[in-house]
Each structure stands twice: as C-alpha cells, then as structure tokens.
Amino acid sequence: MWGMRVAMISLHTSPLEQPGVGDAGGMNVYVLNMARQLARRGVTVDVFTRATRPSQGEVVEVEQRLRVINVVAGPYEGLAKEELPTQLAAFAGGILEYVRCHYLAYDAIHSHYWLSGQVGWLLRDLWEIPLVHTAHTLAAVKNAHLSAGDTPESEARRICEQQLVDNADLLVVNTEEELADMVRHYDAGSAKIRIVPPGADTELFTPGAESERSTERSRRQLGIPLHSKVVAFVGRLQEFKGPQVLLRAVAELFERDPHRNLRVVICGGASGSSSAPDTYPELARELGVQRRVRFLDPRPPEELVAVYQAADIVAVPSYNESFGLVAMEAQATGTPVVAARVGGLPIAVEDGVTGLLVDGHGATAWADALATVLDDDPLRIEMGERAVTHAATFSWAASAGRLAEVFDEAVALDLPDCHQRRAEG
C-alpha cells in the first residue's frame, strides 16, 4: 500500500467545499477524510474535481501526499448539478491533459457518485487500471423514498448507475443495507461489493473536557438560552433531509404544552429544487414556532462542534441516508440522536441505547420520540455517555485502512482479456 498512487474523482462537488451548502454534504466529508487518512498511510491521493471559481487555483496542496486538482469544465458558476452531464467529456479531457502534462501514472481510480463514475469508467479503460466506485446515493433508492415535493431522479441517472455497477472492478458501499439495495435494484453481483463503513473525526468531535461546561460555553457562543432544552438539525435544507419533519414535530410539542422550554437550532443551507433560503423560516412562521427556532448558516467542522455540544438531542429525520455522518458526529460529542429508521441510520444509532429510531416521518411519532428523550433527564444523560463509546468504534483511520485493503485487492485483480492482450503485446 505504501507508495500507491490513487486518482479520486469527485466531479460535482469539491471535498474542500463547506458541507451544508448547495450540493456539498456528507460526500465531501467522506472524500476529504478518507483521502487524508489514506495519505497518512503512505498513499498518494489526487482528488480531481470541477473548478467552480478562478480563485481556487489549479492545484491545492491539502497536506503531504494529498492534493485537490481543479479541472475547468464548463462555466465556473451558474451550472446546476442537473446540467453537469453535458460537461463529462470536458472534465475527462481536462484530467487527461493534466496527467499527460505532468507525466503522472496511477495504480487505481476511486470515483464518487455516478457522474464521477462515468468519467472513471472511461479513464479505467484508457489507463488500464482498476476502477473502484462508491455511489454514495442511488437513483432507485432515492425514488423509493421520495418526500412530498421532491423531484424523482432521472431514468438517465439510473441507467448510468447500472452501467457502473456492471463495469466497475469493485464497488464500495457503507452498509449491509446499501449492499442489499444494490443487489435488489441493480442486480449487482455481491462478490464484487465491499462494505467500508464511514467514520467520524473522534478527535475533533468530543464532549469537551467537562461536558456540562462545554455545553454552557457552546450555548453562550451561539446565543442559546442556557436552561432551555435544545434540539438541533445539521445538514442541507431540502425536503429529502427532513427539516420540515422536525419543524412539524416541534409544533405538535408546543400544541401539547405551549409553555415547554424548548429551542430548535437548524444549521445548514438551501439545497435542491425543493428548497429556497426562506422555505423553512416561512414554514416555522406558518406553524407558529418561529420564535423558538434559530437558523444558522453552515459552518466548518471546527465550529460545528459547538452546535452538537449545545444540543440535548440531534434530530436526523432524513428520508434515506447511506450511513448518517451527522448522527455519528453528534454521538461523538456525547449528544443522543433521534433519527429515522432508514438506510444506514440503524447502524449509526443504537436504538434505545445512544438514541431513538422513529418509524416513518409523521409529526406525532416524531413528537413522541423527541419528548421521550427530552423529558427524561437520566435517560438522555445515559444515552449521551453511551453515544461517545459507540462513536469511538467508528473512526476515519479505521475506515481508510479498510479502503486501502480494497485498493490492494483491486490492483491484484486479473486484467480483462483485452487489457491483458495489450500488456502482452
């Protein structure tokens, strides 16, 4: 593994972008942390992404053996994610030009999301090296879990994903459920699927030296009343992530008890066709809870810690999550999680131990679950303590170690016959 060179492809979003803004989210966190940990294991990683502003520069040296290469493909701004397929050829051409001009050679390609996978598939055949692909989300699964108002993923995307399932040398998924989804919806052969659970930065996300003082300090920093109960939501503001589920549940809690001392913090930016900057503040006003809800702009991990520490509960009401990085980060800080029982969240959250899992997205069920944890101080404290222990079993270093094994396995695979004949020729 030491000395291996890997080309990571993350076309539609750079790992250096702020999570919670636009299309930046858990995948950004995943790519950046995996790449960092691989680099620290001796793997040289180049992450190719599409340039979105000229000030980025062509190459960003992140740390030793890790850099991000910004490839010009289409206009810097004003290109929606739905329009990015028009730039696949330009993006692939930009990578080829950079590699040719700098005399680079890679041992493996790791593509992230279907757009990058299409480029990786082409480069795999040109460079005659293995392609490892991570889908992160799948069109068929998203369409099966659409929330009201969401636009279905296109059939074109599903076809492209099917091609990648059929042609990638190895497929990496987060959980057993994701493996099952890939087999069920895409007829994938399980023999070439590898499970690599994501991690959390357990050195950054901690309860703090003294948990109570950390909570008080974080609340003062964020301007949150010290003696309120606090529920936080962290993530992109779109229907699929479910902030509307939390707001409706909170409205029901206040209907039950108008004097409940509860505050809600929603940290994230508008994302997707179903969301605009004022969508959720307007919903809070319609529900009559606007005075109890505070909206925060997305923030880097070093500042996000304070949001988790200030909360009594972190809510993850998504309609699907391949794993649930927010849930894991929250637990690492000692904050219990109330999450939807979907996707990989039942793995990220131990139901009844580090938080609660909720069936469905109805306001009543969510209000009941939130009240159960908010109103039982001993239970909430115990869940928080167990959450730290649970999160400690997930680290990016361990995840990268498993991914490194996948790369080793991919490199050791027999070349396809056509590649073998070229090599022998």
Side-chain angles (χ1 to χ4, degrees):
M1 172 50 63
W2 188 274
M4 179 180 285
R5 183 181 288 271
V6 173
M8 280 196 182
I9 306 177
S10 181
L11 186 160
H12 81 285
T13 181
S14 169
L16 301 182
E17 291 296 324
Q18 171 63 56
V21 177
D23 294 317
M27 193 182 104
N28 302 69
V29 176
Y30 180 103
V31 173
L32 180 60
N33 283 281
M34 281 291 202
R36 275 180 166 159
Q37 293 299 329
L38 286 168
R40 293 167 189 176
R41 297 177 69 90
V43 182
T44 297
V45 182
D46 287 339
V47 182
F48 292 92
T49 190
R50 194 181 78 86
T52 55
R53 53 186 181 275
S55 60
Q56 289 170 311
E58 184 178 35
V59 179
V60 179
E61 300 282 349
V62 180
E63 60 181 73
Q64 187 178 10
R65 289 185 293 275
L66 170 59
R67 56 188 182 168
V68 172
I69 299 167
N70 296 296
V71 178
V72 177
Y76 288 113
E77 298 177 349
L79 197 65
K81 186 167 70 171
E82 293 75 19
E83 299 173 297
L84 288 177
T86 66
Q87 300 303 315
L88 293 183
F91 184 72
I95 294 176
L96 289 169
E97 181 181 9
Y98 184 88
V99 169
R100 182 173 60 251
C101 290
H102 293 83
Y103 305 99
L104 297 174
Y106 296 98
D107 298 293
I109 299 166
H110 188 191
S111 57
H112 299 271
Y113 197 63
W114 70 276
L115 292 166
S116 301
Q118 289 287 310
V119 175
W121 180 20
L122 170 64
L123 298 179
R124 187 276 304 272
D125 289 344
L126 291 174
W127 293 342
E128 299 182 3
I129 59 176
L131 170 65
V132 177
H133 178 65
T134 301
H136 292 279
T137 62
L138 293 164
V141 176
K142 290 194 76 171
N143 287 344
H145 296 88
L146 283 178
S147 60
D150 260 359
T151 303
E153 296 295 325
S154 68
E155 178 64 8
R157 172 181 171 178
R158 193 204 62 77
I159 291 170
C160 288
E161 290 173 342
Q162 185 66 64
Q163 291 171 330
L164 292 168
V165 167
D166 294 340
N167 288 280
D169 296 288
L170 290 176
L171 299 162
V172 171
V173 299
N174 294 324
T175 63
E176 289 278 0
E177 179 163 342
E178 195 177 351
L179 185 155
D181 284 336
M182 198 167 277
V183 172
R184 181 186 311 115
H185 294 289
Y186 295 85
D187 198 27
S190 58
K192 73 172 186 179
I193 304 176
R194 303 292 177 268
I195 299 174
V196 181
D201 188 341
T202 53
E203 295 181 4
L204 173 62
F205 295 104
T206 70
E210 296 181 51
S211 182
E212 287 187 11
R213 289 190 177 180
S214 296
T215 299
E216 181 178 331
R217 183 171 59 251
S218 296
R219 291 190 178 187
R220 289 186 187 281
Q221 178 183 333
L222 295 170
I224 299 171
L226 297 182
H227 302 296
S228 296
K229 295 291 177 63
V230 178
V231 178
F233 170 97
V234 174
R236 286 173 287 168
L237 300 186
Q238 58 181 193
E239 293 283 305
F240 193 74
K241 294 293 183 181
Q244 73 282 358
V245 176
L246 174 59
L247 289 173
R248 291 183 178 119
V250 168
E252 179 154 335
L253 286 176
F254 282 120
E255 282 183 18
R256 298 176 186 180
D257 179 6
H259 302 294
R260 177 181 282 273
N261 188 12
L262 174 64
R263 296 291 186 275
V264 177
V265 175
I266 295 181
C267 181
S271 174
S273 59
S274 64
S275 178
D278 58 352
T279 298
Y280 297 101
E282 282 187 2
L283 177 59
R285 282 192 291 273
E286 290 173 9
L287 295 170
V289 297
Q290 71 274 16
R291 294 184 179 180
R292 306 298 187 102
V293 181
R294 183 172 179 192
F295 290 87
L296 302 177
D297 290 334
R299 50 199 59 208
E302 301 78 29
E303 298 177 22
L304 192 56
V305 175
V307 177
Y308 291 136
Q309 290 176 341
D312 292 288
I313 296 173
V314 168
V316 185
S318 302
Y319 281 78
N320 195 57
E321 289 284 351
S322 60
F323 181 66
L325 292 174
V326 165
M328 194 55 65
E329 290 172 353
Q331 290 172 100
T333 66
T335 304
V337 173
V338 175
R341 195 189 299 274
V342 296
L345 286 169
I347 294 173
V349 180
E350 284 193 78
D351 190 23
V353 178
T354 67
L356 293 180
L357 296 173
V358 183
D359 293 310
H361 295 82
T364 299
W366 273 84
D368 289 344
L370 292 171
T372 296
V373 182
L374 288 170
D375 298 341
D376 189 333
D377 292 342
L379 173 65
R380 190 178 62 259
I381 292 169
E382 186 176 2
M383 283 182 166
E385 292 171 350
R386 291 174 175 173
V388 176
T389 303
H390 176 60
T393 63
F394 295 85
S395 72
W396 286 116
S399 298
R402 178 69 188 98
L403 185 60
E405 294 173 359
V406 174
F407 290 152
D408 282 335
E409 182 183 357
V411 170
L413 290 172
D414 290 335
L415 291 172
D417 290 345
C418 60
H419 292 176
Q420 190 67 45
R421 286 196 298 272
R422 291 176 195 166
E424 291 173 351

PDB file of all heavy atoms in Angstrom, residues 34 42 99 106 108 122 133 141 145-146 158 162 172 188 210 218 224 236 244 292 315 321 332 361 368 383 401 414:
ATOM      1  N   MET A  34     -11.365  10.428   4.089  1.00  0.00           N
ATOM      2  CA  MET A  34     -10.757   9.200   3.563  1.00  0.00           C
ATOM      3  C   MET A  34      -9.426   9.503   2.891  1.00  0.00           C
ATOM      4  O   MET A  34      -8.429   8.802   3.098  1.00  0.00           O
ATOM      5  CB  MET A  34     -11.699   8.519   2.572  1.00  0.00           C
ATOM      6  CG  MET A  34     -12.806   7.719   3.201  1.00  0.00           C
ATOM      7  SD  MET A  34     -12.184   6.243   4.041  1.00  0.00           S
ATOM      8  CE  MET A  34     -13.681   5.243   4.044  1.00  0.00           C
ATOM      9  N   GLY A  42       0.531   6.575   3.624  1.00  0.00           N
ATOM     10  CA  GLY A  42       1.540   6.460   2.585  1.00  0.00           C
ATOM     11  C   GLY A  42       1.010   6.408   1.174  1.00  0.00           C
ATOM     12  O   GLY A  42       1.778   6.236   0.230  1.00  0.00           O
ATOM     13  N   VAL A  99      -2.817  14.965 -16.499  1.00  0.00           N
ATOM     14  CA  VAL A  99      -1.997  13.774 -16.255  1.00  0.00           C
ATOM     15  C   VAL A  99      -0.893  13.657 -17.298  1.00  0.00           C
ATOM     16  O   VAL A  99       0.261  13.337 -16.984  1.00  0.00           O
ATOM     17  CB  VAL A  99      -2.885  12.512 -16.242  1.00  0.00           C
ATOM     18  CG1 VAL A  99      -2.037  11.245 -16.266  1.00  0.00           C
ATOM     19  CG2 VAL A  99      -3.790  12.536 -15.015  1.00  0.00           C
ATOM     20  N   TYR A 106      -1.207   6.337 -12.321  1.00  0.00           N
ATOM     21  CA  TYR A 106      -1.925   5.919 -11.122  1.00  0.00           C
ATOM     22  C   TYR A 106      -2.064   4.406 -11.082  1.00  0.00           C
ATOM     23  O   TYR A 106      -2.033   3.732 -12.119  1.00  0.00           O
ATOM     24  CB  TYR A 106      -3.312   6.575 -11.082  1.00  0.00           C
ATOM     25  CG  TYR A 106      -3.247   8.084 -10.976  1.00  0.00           C
ATOM     26  CD1 TYR A 106      -3.370   8.886 -12.105  1.00  0.00           C
ATOM     27  CD2 TYR A 106      -3.039   8.696  -9.744  1.00  0.00           C
ATOM     28  CE1 TYR A 106      -3.297  10.271 -12.014  1.00  0.00           C
ATOM     29  CE2 TYR A 106      -2.965  10.083  -9.643  1.00  0.00           C
ATOM     30  CZ  TYR A 106      -3.097  10.857 -10.782  1.00  0.00           C
ATOM     31  OH  TYR A 106      -3.018  12.222 -10.684  1.00  0.00           O
ATOM     32  N   ALA A 108      -4.766   3.029  -9.279  1.00  0.00           N
ATOM     33  CA  ALA A 108      -6.203   2.746  -9.197  1.00  0.00           C
ATOM     34  C   ALA A 108      -6.974   4.057  -9.269  1.00  0.00           C
ATOM     35  O   ALA A 108      -6.435   5.136  -8.996  1.00  0.00           O
ATOM     36  CB  ALA A 108      -6.543   2.008  -7.910  1.00  0.00           C
ATOM     37  N   LEU A 122     -14.345   5.628 -18.164  1.00  0.00           N
ATOM     38  CA  LEU A 122     -13.564   5.944 -19.363  1.00  0.00           C
ATOM     39  C   LEU A 122     -12.066   5.891 -19.066  1.00  0.00           C
ATOM     40  O   LEU A 122     -11.287   5.268 -19.805  1.00  0.00           O
ATOM     41  CB  LEU A 122     -13.948   7.332 -19.880  1.00  0.00           C
ATOM     42  CG  LEU A 122     -13.068   7.922 -20.990  1.00  0.00           C
ATOM     43  CD1 LEU A 122     -13.165   7.080 -22.254  1.00  0.00           C
ATOM     44  CD2 LEU A 122     -13.435   9.369 -21.262  1.00  0.00           C
ATOM     45  N   HIS A 133     -15.608   2.060  -7.373  1.00  0.00           N
ATOM     46  CA  HIS A 133     -16.661   3.073  -7.421  1.00  0.00           C
ATOM     47  C   HIS A 133     -17.491   3.065  -6.144  1.00  0.00           C
ATOM     48  O   HIS A 133     -17.882   2.006  -5.650  1.00  0.00           O
ATOM     49  CB  HIS A 133     -17.589   2.836  -8.615  1.00  0.00           C
ATOM     50  CG  HIS A 133     -18.714   3.819  -8.706  1.00  0.00           C
ATOM     51  ND1 HIS A 133     -18.513   5.177  -8.937  1.00  0.00           N
ATOM     52  CD2 HIS A 133     -20.070   3.668  -8.560  1.00  0.00           C
ATOM     53  CE1 HIS A 133     -19.680   5.789  -8.956  1.00  0.00           C
ATOM     54  NE2 HIS A 133     -20.644   4.915  -8.723  1.00  0.00           N
ATOM     55  N   VAL A 141     -33.039   4.025  -5.148  1.00  0.00           N
ATOM     56  CA  VAL A 141     -33.315   4.093  -3.716  1.00  0.00           C
ATOM     57  C   VAL A 141     -33.924   5.447  -3.353  1.00  0.00           C
ATOM     58  O   VAL A 141     -34.888   5.527  -2.583  1.00  0.00           O
ATOM     59  CB  VAL A 141     -32.027   3.831  -2.913  1.00  0.00           C
ATOM     60  CG1 VAL A 141     -32.286   3.995  -1.413  1.00  0.00           C
ATOM     61  CG2 VAL A 141     -31.496   2.438  -3.203  1.00  0.00           C
ATOM     62  N   HIS A 145     -37.863   6.521  -1.806  1.00  0.00           N
ATOM     63  CA  HIS A 145     -38.035   7.206  -0.519  1.00  0.00           C
ATOM     64  C   HIS A 145     -38.277   8.694  -0.715  1.00  0.00           C
ATOM     65  O   HIS A 145     -37.886   9.503   0.122  1.00  0.00           O
ATOM     66  CB  HIS A 145     -36.796   7.002   0.359  1.00  0.00           C
ATOM     67  CG  HIS A 145     -36.547   5.575   0.742  1.00  0.00           C
ATOM     68  ND1 HIS A 145     -35.801   4.715  -0.035  1.00  0.00           N
ATOM     69  CD2 HIS A 145     -36.955   4.843   1.807  1.00  0.00           C
ATOM     70  CE1 HIS A 145     -35.753   3.526   0.536  1.00  0.00           C
ATOM     71  NE2 HIS A 145     -36.448   3.572   1.649  1.00  0.00           N
ATOM     72  N   LEU A 146     -38.936   9.067  -1.801  1.00  0.00           N
ATOM     73  CA  LEU A 146     -39.164  10.484  -2.063  1.00  0.00           C
ATOM     74  C   LEU A 146     -40.071  11.104  -1.000  1.00  0.00           C
ATOM     75  O   LEU A 146     -41.042  10.488  -0.561  1.00  0.00           O
ATOM     76  CB  LEU A 146     -39.821  10.675  -3.433  1.00  0.00           C
ATOM     77  CG  LEU A 146     -38.927  10.552  -4.670  1.00  0.00           C
ATOM     78  CD1 LEU A 146     -39.774  10.726  -5.917  1.00  0.00           C
ATOM     79  CD2 LEU A 146     -37.806  11.582  -4.642  1.00  0.00           C
ATOM     80  N   ARG A 158     -30.307   6.564 -13.546  1.00  0.00           N
ATOM     81  CA  ARG A 158     -30.396   5.153 -13.159  1.00  0.00           C
ATOM     82  C   ARG A 158     -29.659   4.267 -14.163  1.00  0.00           C
ATOM     83  O   ARG A 158     -28.968   3.320 -13.779  1.00  0.00           O
ATOM     84  CB  ARG A 158     -31.862   4.720 -13.060  1.00  0.00           C
ATOM     85  CG  ARG A 158     -32.058   3.372 -12.359  1.00  0.00           C
ATOM     86  CD  ARG A 158     -33.341   2.709 -12.776  1.00  0.00           C
ATOM     87  NE  ARG A 158     -33.375   2.406 -14.204  1.00  0.00           N
ATOM     88  CZ  ARG A 158     -32.720   1.385 -14.746  1.00  0.00           C
ATOM     89  NH1 ARG A 158     -31.985   0.577 -14.017  1.00  0.00           N
ATOM     90  NH2 ARG A 158     -32.809   1.179 -16.047  1.00  0.00           N
ATOM     91  N   GLN A 162     -26.479   1.836 -13.461  1.00  0.00           N
ATOM     92  CA  GLN A 162     -26.473   0.423 -13.840  1.00  0.00           C
ATOM     93  C   GLN A 162     -25.199   0.086 -14.605  1.00  0.00           C
ATOM     94  O   GLN A 162     -24.589  -0.976 -14.381  1.00  0.00           O
ATOM     95  CB  GLN A 162     -27.693   0.102 -14.712  1.00  0.00           C
ATOM     96  CG  GLN A 162     -27.828  -1.383 -15.059  1.00  0.00           C
ATOM     97  CD  GLN A 162     -28.121  -2.226 -13.840  1.00  0.00           C
ATOM     98  OE1 GLN A 162     -29.159  -2.074 -13.210  1.00  0.00           O
ATOM     99  NE2 GLN A 162     -27.194  -3.116 -13.481  1.00  0.00           N
ATOM    100  N   VAL A 172     -17.785  -0.107  -3.613  1.00  0.00           N
ATOM    101  CA  VAL A 172     -17.692   0.117  -2.169  1.00  0.00           C
ATOM    102  C   VAL A 172     -19.000   0.716  -1.673  1.00  0.00           C
ATOM    103  O   VAL A 172     -19.493   1.704  -2.220  1.00  0.00           O
ATOM    104  CB  VAL A 172     -16.523   1.056  -1.824  1.00  0.00           C
ATOM    105  CG1 VAL A 172     -16.564   1.463  -0.351  1.00  0.00           C
ATOM    106  CG2 VAL A 172     -15.191   0.379  -2.135  1.00  0.00           C
ATOM    107  N   ALA A 188     -26.725  -6.259  -8.861  1.00  0.00           N
ATOM    108  CA  ALA A 188     -25.266  -6.299  -8.687  1.00  0.00           C
ATOM    109  C   ALA A 188     -24.832  -7.655  -8.159  1.00  0.00           C
ATOM    110  O   ALA A 188     -25.544  -8.300  -7.380  1.00  0.00           O
ATOM    111  CB  ALA A 188     -24.831  -5.206  -7.709  1.00  0.00           C
ATOM    112  N   GLU A 210     -14.945  19.030  30.107  1.00  0.00           N
ATOM    113  CA  GLU A 210     -16.014  18.867  31.082  1.00  0.00           C
ATOM    114  C   GLU A 210     -17.319  19.098  30.351  1.00  0.00           C
ATOM    115  O   GLU A 210     -17.605  20.217  29.942  1.00  0.00           O
ATOM    116  CB  GLU A 210     -15.857  19.856  32.243  1.00  0.00           C
ATOM    117  CG  GLU A 210     -14.597  19.630  33.068  1.00  0.00           C
ATOM    118  CD  GLU A 210     -14.495  20.615  34.216  1.00  0.00           C
ATOM    119  OE1 GLU A 210     -15.480  20.750  34.964  1.00  0.00           O
ATOM    120  OE2 GLU A 210     -13.446  21.265  34.345  1.00  0.00           O
ATOM    121  N   SER A 218     -20.746  26.471  24.745  1.00  0.00           N
ATOM    122  CA  SER A 218     -21.263  26.424  23.372  1.00  0.00           C
ATOM    123  C   SER A 218     -22.561  27.205  23.236  1.00  0.00           C
ATOM    124  O   SER A 218     -22.782  27.906  22.255  1.00  0.00           O
ATOM    125  CB  SER A 218     -21.479  24.967  22.949  1.00  0.00           C
ATOM    126  OG  SER A 218     -20.256  24.260  22.918  1.00  0.00           O
ATOM    127  N   ILE A 224     -27.747  30.812  22.747  1.00  0.00           N
ATOM    128  CA  ILE A 224     -28.888  29.953  23.075  1.00  0.00           C
ATOM    129  C   ILE A 224     -29.132  30.009  24.580  1.00  0.00           C
ATOM    130  O   ILE A 224     -28.182  29.907  25.363  1.00  0.00           O
ATOM    131  CB  ILE A 224     -28.609  28.497  22.640  1.00  0.00           C
ATOM    132  CG1 ILE A 224     -28.387  28.427  21.132  1.00  0.00           C
ATOM    133  CG2 ILE A 224     -29.740  27.569  23.060  1.00  0.00           C
ATOM    134  CD1 ILE A 224     -27.894  27.067  20.654  1.00  0.00           C
ATOM    135  N   ARG A 236     -28.061  19.840   4.841  1.00  0.00           N
ATOM    136  CA  ARG A 236     -28.634  20.640   3.769  1.00  0.00           C
ATOM    137  C   ARG A 236     -30.140  20.810   3.982  1.00  0.00           C
ATOM    138  O   ARG A 236     -30.822  19.883   4.407  1.00  0.00           O
ATOM    139  CB  ARG A 236     -28.365  19.971   2.420  1.00  0.00           C
ATOM    140  CG  ARG A 236     -26.920  20.101   1.967  1.00  0.00           C
ATOM    141  CD  ARG A 236     -26.663  19.295   0.720  1.00  0.00           C
ATOM    142  NE  ARG A 236     -26.642  17.859   1.024  1.00  0.00           N
ATOM    143  CZ  ARG A 236     -26.671  16.913   0.112  1.00  0.00           C
ATOM    144  NH1 ARG A 236     -26.772  17.212  -1.162  1.00  0.00           N
ATOM    145  NH2 ARG A 236     -26.620  15.644   0.459  1.00  0.00           N
ATOM    146  N   GLN A 244     -38.448  19.799   7.560  1.00  0.00           N
ATOM    147  CA  GLN A 244     -39.885  20.054   7.735  1.00  0.00           C
ATOM    148  C   GLN A 244     -40.499  19.056   8.713  1.00  0.00           C
ATOM    149  O   GLN A 244     -41.456  19.378   9.433  1.00  0.00           O
ATOM    150  CB  GLN A 244     -40.612  20.004   6.380  1.00  0.00           C
ATOM    151  CG  GLN A 244     -40.796  18.641   5.771  1.00  0.00           C
ATOM    152  CD  GLN A 244     -39.542  18.076   5.108  1.00  0.00           C
ATOM    153  OE1 GLN A 244     -38.501  18.735   5.071  1.00  0.00           O
ATOM    154  NE2 GLN A 244     -39.633  16.865   4.565  1.00  0.00           N
ATOM    155  N   ARG A 292     -39.153  30.130  18.442  1.00  0.00           N
ATOM    156  CA  ARG A 292     -38.419  29.061  19.129  1.00  0.00           C
ATOM    157  C   ARG A 292     -37.361  28.412  18.230  1.00  0.00           C
ATOM    158  O   ARG A 292     -36.661  27.518  18.673  1.00  0.00           O
ATOM    159  CB  ARG A 292     -39.398  27.976  19.585  1.00  0.00           C
ATOM    160  CG  ARG A 292     -40.547  28.480  20.431  1.00  0.00           C
ATOM    161  CD  ARG A 292     -40.083  29.106  21.735  1.00  0.00           C
ATOM    162  NE  ARG A 292     -41.216  29.425  22.590  1.00  0.00           N
ATOM    163  CZ  ARG A 292     -41.598  28.691  23.632  1.00  0.00           C
ATOM    164  NH1 ARG A 292     -40.933  27.602  23.932  1.00  0.00           N
ATOM    165  NH2 ARG A 292     -42.635  29.052  24.350  1.00  0.00           N
ATOM    166  N   ALA A 315     -31.496  15.795  15.776  1.00  0.00           N
ATOM    167  CA  ALA A 315     -32.521  15.092  15.010  1.00  0.00           C
ATOM    168  C   ALA A 315     -32.023  14.843  13.588  1.00  0.00           C
ATOM    169  O   ALA A 315     -31.469  15.745  12.955  1.00  0.00           O
ATOM    170  CB  ALA A 315     -33.810  15.915  14.969  1.00  0.00           C
ATOM    171  N   GLU A 321     -30.567   7.690   4.259  1.00  0.00           N
ATOM    172  CA  GLU A 321     -29.160   8.032   4.450  1.00  0.00           C
ATOM    173  C   GLU A 321     -28.352   6.762   4.207  1.00  0.00           C
ATOM    174  O   GLU A 321     -28.686   5.704   4.749  1.00  0.00           O
ATOM    175  CB  GLU A 321     -28.876   8.528   5.880  1.00  0.00           C
ATOM    176  CG  GLU A 321     -29.432   9.892   6.213  1.00  0.00           C
ATOM    177  CD  GLU A 321     -28.628  11.032   5.602  1.00  0.00           C
ATOM    178  OE1 GLU A 321     -27.527  10.768   5.059  1.00  0.00           O
ATOM    179  OE2 GLU A 321     -29.107  12.176   5.651  1.00  0.00           O
ATOM    180  N   ALA A 332     -20.461  11.375  18.847  1.00  0.00           N
ATOM    181  CA  ALA A 332     -19.079  11.523  19.304  1.00  0.00           C
ATOM    182  C   ALA A 332     -18.941  12.673  20.298  1.00  0.00           C
ATOM    183  O   ALA A 332     -18.070  12.642  21.173  1.00  0.00           O
ATOM    184  CB  ALA A 332     -18.157  11.743  18.111  1.00  0.00           C
ATOM    185  N   HIS A 361     -42.329   9.377   9.133  1.00  0.00           N
ATOM    186  CA  HIS A 361     -41.982  10.788   9.264  1.00  0.00           C
ATOM    187  C   HIS A 361     -43.176  11.623   9.732  1.00  0.00           C
ATOM    188  O   HIS A 361     -43.222  12.833   9.530  1.00  0.00           O
ATOM    189  CB  HIS A 361     -41.454  11.316   7.924  1.00  0.00           C
ATOM    190  CG  HIS A 361     -40.167  10.668   7.507  1.00  0.00           C
ATOM    191  ND1 HIS A 361     -40.132   9.439   6.880  1.00  0.00           N
ATOM    192  CD2 HIS A 361     -38.875  11.048   7.657  1.00  0.00           C
ATOM    193  CE1 HIS A 361     -38.874   9.104   6.648  1.00  0.00           C
ATOM    194  NE2 HIS A 361     -38.097  10.064   7.106  1.00  0.00           N
ATOM    195  N   ASP A 368     -43.468  12.348  19.778  1.00  0.00           N
ATOM    196  CA  ASP A 368     -43.393  11.366  20.868  1.00  0.00           C
ATOM    197  C   ASP A 368     -41.938  10.998  21.169  1.00  0.00           C
ATOM    198  O   ASP A 368     -41.527  10.924  22.332  1.00  0.00           O
ATOM    199  CB  ASP A 368     -44.175  10.106  20.509  1.00  0.00           C
ATOM    200  CG  ASP A 368     -45.682  10.321  20.501  1.00  0.00           C
ATOM    201  OD1 ASP A 368     -46.137  11.334  21.066  1.00  0.00           O
ATOM    202  OD2 ASP A 368     -46.398   9.466  19.926  1.00  0.00           O
ATOM    203  N   MET A 383     -27.828   7.981  27.571  1.00  0.00           N
ATOM    204  CA  MET A 383     -27.667   7.816  26.124  1.00  0.00           C
ATOM    205  C   MET A 383     -26.460   8.586  25.607  1.00  0.00           C
ATOM    206  O   MET A 383     -25.708   8.097  24.756  1.00  0.00           O
ATOM    207  CB  MET A 383     -28.929   8.291  25.397  1.00  0.00           C
ATOM    208  CG  MET A 383     -30.093   7.313  25.452  1.00  0.00           C
ATOM    209  SD  MET A 383     -31.519   7.952  24.521  1.00  0.00           S
ATOM    210  CE  MET A 383     -32.522   6.454  24.397  1.00  0.00           C
ATOM    211  N   GLY A 401      -8.210   2.393   6.504  1.00  0.00           N
ATOM    212  CA  GLY A 401      -7.466   1.127   6.493  1.00  0.00           C
ATOM    213  C   GLY A 401      -8.206   0.057   5.716  1.00  0.00           C
ATOM    214  O   GLY A 401      -7.600  -0.703   4.937  1.00  0.00           O
ATOM    215  N   ASP A 414      -7.026  -9.714 -11.836  1.00  0.00           N
ATOM    216  CA  ASP A 414      -6.567 -10.003 -13.192  1.00  0.00           C
ATOM    217  C   ASP A 414      -7.111  -8.947 -14.137  1.00  0.00           C
ATOM    218  O   ASP A 414      -8.277  -8.537 -14.050  1.00  0.00           O
ATOM    219  CB  ASP A 414      -7.067 -11.384 -13.647  1.00  0.00           C
ATOM    220  CG  ASP A 414      -6.376 -12.516 -12.905  1.00  0.00           C
ATOM    221  OD1 ASP A 414      -5.237 -12.297 -12.435  1.00  0.00           O
ATOM    222  OD2 ASP A 414      -6.970 -13.600 -12.798  1.00  0.00           O
TER     223      ASP A 414
END
